[in-house]
Amino acid sequence: MTSDDIITILSEAKKLGLKKVGFTGGDPLKDFSELKKITEHCIENDILQMHLHTNGTLITPHIAKWLKENNIETTLSLFGATADIHEGITNTDGSYKQTLYGLQNMLAENADVSVFVVPMKTNYRDVPNVIRKTIEMGCKDIRILSLSPTGSALIEFNKLELLNNEINYLNNEFNKLIKEHREIINAGFCTRLNHPMLPNRLGHDQCYSASNRVHIDSYGNVFPCTAASGRTEFSAGNILLYDYSIEDLWQNSPLFQFIRKFHSYPEGECHGCVQYNYCMGGCRIQLAYKYGDFTITKPDCDYKK
């Protein structure tokens, strides 16, 4: 999509009640002039809540100041407390040093920045060190984010997904960390399914997929949430290739309608379960990957009616 395509979509979404827009990638800072054009449109049209997810390597002091001045909430991912672990995941030499440089620039500006930490097989034992290092640098917001079977992780998800004993190891570490840093460490709905002791991230207490969230990738494919991106079975349609508007897909997509119905009126064993608001039958993305069916409820649910 070009910046003009994105601006057209945002203008249509504004009519539907759009309040917040997030920019991700790749890395949205790779073409800073285009990003500025889009954010200027947002500001002019009162879409004042903007979010940017970046790997942090391109955040210079100038860009950090610009992000601060435009009140853009920024998140960056840190995968390890050492270059070996971080770059073993990014596959990019020098990315560890550059990511820390970007984070330092954001902190120096007192900008709105948070760090995403994604536990997986190759880094889970280092996650506590990442958290401590980030806190020592002065970061006040750290989000633990579950790995999803999508994007570059899809191909090797079986090799990267944590086993129960590895999840238990992390949970023991998280219990120690939140005793001292509860106000800093948090997690969203899907992550808390495996790590329920983590404090809830504001606005992420439930699965809001297709409810107050939508994700559009760079090719114009529309998905119910960011975790679904790239999974063709979760595509509601394409607004570049076909004569659809975001309003058409948001209101009429059978996929979106199913997800909303499932969330508001679950069937089977989930119906009437007192724990439903906690687990919501499991993550649709994870269930589709594991069982080939995004319409089922979580088979290994520990709760009964």
Side-chain angles (χ1 to χ4, degrees), residues 118-163:
V118 186
M120 59 189 88
K121 186 82 68 177
T122 50
N123 74 342
Y124 77 96
R125 286 193 172 275
D126 197 42
V127 164
N129 299 326
V130 178
I131 294 172
R132 293 187 186 98
K133 182 179 186 67
T134 308
I135 291 173
E136 288 172 3
M137 291 178 66
C139 185
K140 302 297 184 185
D141 187 9
I142 300 170
R143 179 179 177 181
I144 310 302
L145 195 68
S146 287
L147 186 71
S148 292
T150 188
S152 58
L154 176 59
I155 299 172
E156 295 191 331
F157 188 75
N158 283 332
K159 297 179 182 178
L160 297 174
E161 184 182 22
L162 297 181
L163 300 176

Side-chain angles (χ1 to χ4, degrees), residues 69-89:
E69 290 173 347
N70 288 280
N71 299 312
I72 298 177
E73 175 188 283
T74 304
T75 60
L76 55 87
S77 297
L78 189 61
F79 296 106
T82 65
D84 285 346
I85 295 176
H86 180 83
E87 292 173 13
I89 293 171

